[in-house]
Each structure stands twice: as C-alpha cells, then as structure tokens.
Amino acid sequence: MLGISLRRPKTIAATLAAATLVTVLGSAVPGVSAEGGARPTPDEGHRTKPTIVLVHGAWADGSSWSGEVRRLQARGFEVQVAPQPNRGPTIDSGYLKDFLSTIEGPVVLAAHSYGGFVVSDAATGNKNVKALVFVDAFAPDKGETVEELTAGSGSVLEPALTDPTSVFKLVPFPGAPEGAVDAYVLPKVFIPGFANGLPRRQAEVLAVSQVALATNALAEPATEPAWKTIPVWAVIGTEDRVIPPARQEEMMKRAGADITRIDAGHLGLISHPGEVTEVILEAARTTA
C-alpha cells in the first residue's frame, strides 16, 4: 500500500469563501455579447440559481475548469472553484466541507477525477447540495480506495500499484507522515495517458504544471458517500485512460447517475467544456 491517513486540519476560516482565482480561457460562447454578458433564458430569469461549486482532480488546480467557469458565468450563475490541497480524502473533504459551509442557498457540486472522492465525502449530510456532477471521476462507495478502484481497470496508473516509480516522480515534503511522499505523474505517462485529445504543446505544459498528490490519498478509504442521497449526473469520456470508461460506467450506474458520454480523454473538462457545461446546467435546472 502506498499511503497512510493524515490528520484532518482545524476548521478553515471564512476567508476561504472567496473563490480560487482561475485563468479564463476558451472560445467564445454562443449567445454571449462582446462585453461578456448573456441574456438569460426565460426559465433562468425567473428562479433562484444555485451556486455552482467546481472541484478539481489530482495533479491539477482550479484552472482546469476555466472553460466551464466562463460559460456558467455568462449564463448568470455564481461559480466558485473550491480549494483543496491534494493531501487525501480526509483532509481535502474537510477543506471542502468548511468551504461549502460559507455558501447560502442551493449548490450544484461538480468534481473531476479524484475530486469525486472529495465531494462524495464532503457533501454527505449537507442539505444545500442539491445535485452532484461527476466528470471523468471516481464515485466511491464507503471503504473503497483509489488503489482498489484502479486495480484491474486497465488504467495508466495501474502499474504504480506494484512499482510506483514506473508512473510517478516521488518527492518528500515537510511534515509528511511516515511513508507518505508527494507524487507527480511522469510526462511519459501524463501526455499520452491523461492529456490524450489535447494538442501536444498544451499537453506538455500541463505535464510540467502539476500540483502534487500525496501518496496516502491512493490508499485512504472513502466514507459514507453523498451519491446515495443526492441526485447524480455524470460525464464519461469514452477515451479516458486514467479512469477507463468501463470502470466509470460501473460506478455511475451504481450511483444511479444520468450519464452523458463524450468523445474525449480524461481531460474532457478542458477539451470539451461546452458539453460538460451543458450537463452542469441540466443538473442546475433540477434545483428550482
């Protein structure tokens, strides 16, 4: 096993309510004026919109949601990109729980990849969270781990279960518990495995711009999942090599998700932000 549990931090101050700053990228949005505004559709103009909270995956930061942020803001939604330190489900879900506690009114919570572990833990018991959207993400049941859900799936991460250095660059970090280190996906794995479907130069930039994931995150079990009590939508990239489609289908059908399949790799939120945004909007409509 690669990981050990970390101690959950103290409650995060309310100042974390400010959204993570992200770089707004992407092509023009249909129906958006040159000034960036958008005329709401009739149904959007006469109901309370939920806050859309976006949770990034491992080896990533909030900028991976830039295309969706732009489109959702253009439709008049408040969007917040939640901070998380990639230290493992216990710590990361603790951050998200505190972050969500500062938001009033209905919330649609969307997660990518490992972020599925974080939202599954953090949203349990939160009555404001009205919908979950999993985008090429894990949807673990209680007691399941990243290692368990990766094993036998054909994931590009699977070789790390027996030889971590075949997939990761391992780096010590200050204050790490015994046995825990930071892991970065090797470019030779990241570019064809994570970033398939993106331009080569963009993939190369992402490969060297990673935010490390603590290795204990791979072995830390999920708690009681929020998807058992909250409606679920899912976007599955049919060319995903990190969480292969067959494994995603298993998890999302178990969660009773409304599934949308797109022709994309693991980073469909970057390569297909329009299609991902439409699924988030579909989930948001149910909160009226």
Side-chain angles (χ1 to χ4, degrees), residues 106-132:
V107 170
V108 172
L109 190 54
H112 176 243
S113 193
Y114 158 77
F117 266 82
V118 179
V119 303
S120 289
D121 284 2
T124 300
N126 187 326
K127 295 181 180 179
N128 283 348
V129 179
K130 304 300 183 182
L132 300 171

Side-chain angles (χ1 to χ4, degrees), residues 6-47:
L6 293 178
R7 182 173 58 87
R8 180 176 169 179
K10 296 179 180 179
T11 300
I12 305 305
T15 52
L16 281 182
T20 302
L21 179 64
V22 298
T23 303
V24 179
L25 303 173
S27 58
V29 182
V32 181
S33 70
E35 293 75 26
R39 181 177 300 169
T41 59
D43 65 312
E44 290 174 339
H46 294 85
R47 61 181 175 84

Side-chain angles (χ1 to χ4, degrees), residues 25-104:
L25 303 173
S27 58
V29 182
V32 181
S33 70
E35 293 75 26
R39 181 177 300 169
T41 59
D43 65 312
E44 290 174 339
H46 294 85
R47 61 181 175 84
T48 300
K49 292 184 175 71
T51 299
I52 311 297
V53 178
L54 306 173
V55 179
H56 63 78
W59 304 293
D61 59 27
S63 65
S64 56
W65 288 107
S66 294
E68 289 80 5
V69 170
R70 176 177 178 173
R71 286 162 173 80
L72 290 165
Q73 288 179 336
R75 299 290 287 268
F77 285 88
E78 179 181 353
V79 185
Q80 304 212 18
V81 183
Q84 60 143 322
N86 284 344
R87 299 291 89 183
T90 299
I91 285 182
D92 294 341
S93 65
Y95 267 73
L96 183 56
K97 284 180 182 178
D98 287 338
F99 188 83
L100 293 172
S101 73
T102 67
I103 300 174
E104 296 183 0

Side-chain angles (χ1 to χ4, degrees), residues 68-288:
E68 289 80 5
V69 170
R70 176 177 178 173
R71 286 162 173 80
L72 290 165
Q73 288 179 336
R75 299 290 287 268
F77 285 88
E78 179 181 353
V79 185
Q80 304 212 18
V81 183
Q84 60 143 322
N86 284 344
R87 299 291 89 183
T90 299
I91 285 182
D92 294 341
S93 65
Y95 267 73
L96 183 56
K97 284 180 182 178
D98 287 338
F99 188 83
L100 293 172
S101 73
T102 67
I103 300 174
E104 296 183 0
V107 170
V108 172
L109 190 54
H112 176 243
S113 193
Y114 158 77
F117 266 82
V118 179
V119 303
S120 289
D121 284 2
T124 300
N126 187 326
K127 295 181 180 179
N128 283 348
V129 179
K130 304 300 183 182
L132 300 171
V133 182
F134 293 91
V135 181
D136 290 303
F138 291 104
D141 204 346
K142 184 176 181 179
E144 291 181 336
T145 67
V146 173
E147 289 180 336
E148 180 180 349
L149 292 173
T150 299
S153 69
S155 168
V156 295
L157 296 177
E158 195 168 355
L161 300 180
T162 53
D163 180 10
T165 60
S166 67
V167 174
F168 301 129
K169 177 181 179 180
L170 301 175
V171 179
F173 64 90
E178 184 178 357
V181 294
D182 272 343
Y184 298 84
V185 181
L186 298 172
K188 68 179 183 180
V189 177
F190 188 97
I191 292 171
F194 281 69
N196 56 311
L198 295 178
R200 175 77 185 192
R201 288 187 178 180
Q202 185 179 13
E204 290 173 342
V205 170
L206 292 171
V208 298
S209 305
Q210 298 175 44
V211 176
L213 178 73
T215 53
N216 61 280
L218 302 175
E220 192 173 315
T223 60
E224 190 66 29
W227 52 257
K228 289 187 176 180
T229 57
I230 300 172
V232 176
W233 281 256
V235 180
I236 296 177
T238 58
E239 301 301 319
D240 194 328
R241 298 172 184 172
V242 179
I243 312 175
R247 183 54 48 88
Q248 288 191 55
E249 294 277 355
E250 293 172 0
M251 291 185 289
M252 298 311 159
K253 289 177 180 176
R254 177 177 67 182
D258 184 324
I259 299 173
T260 297
R261 300 167 184 84
I262 62 175
D263 183 15
H266 188 63
L267 300 182
L269 77 170
I270 297 176
S271 62
H272 292 67
E275 291 167 88
V276 173
T277 299
E278 286 303 315
V279 175
I280 295 172
L281 289 171
E282 182 180 341
R285 293 185 190 106
T286 68
T287 67

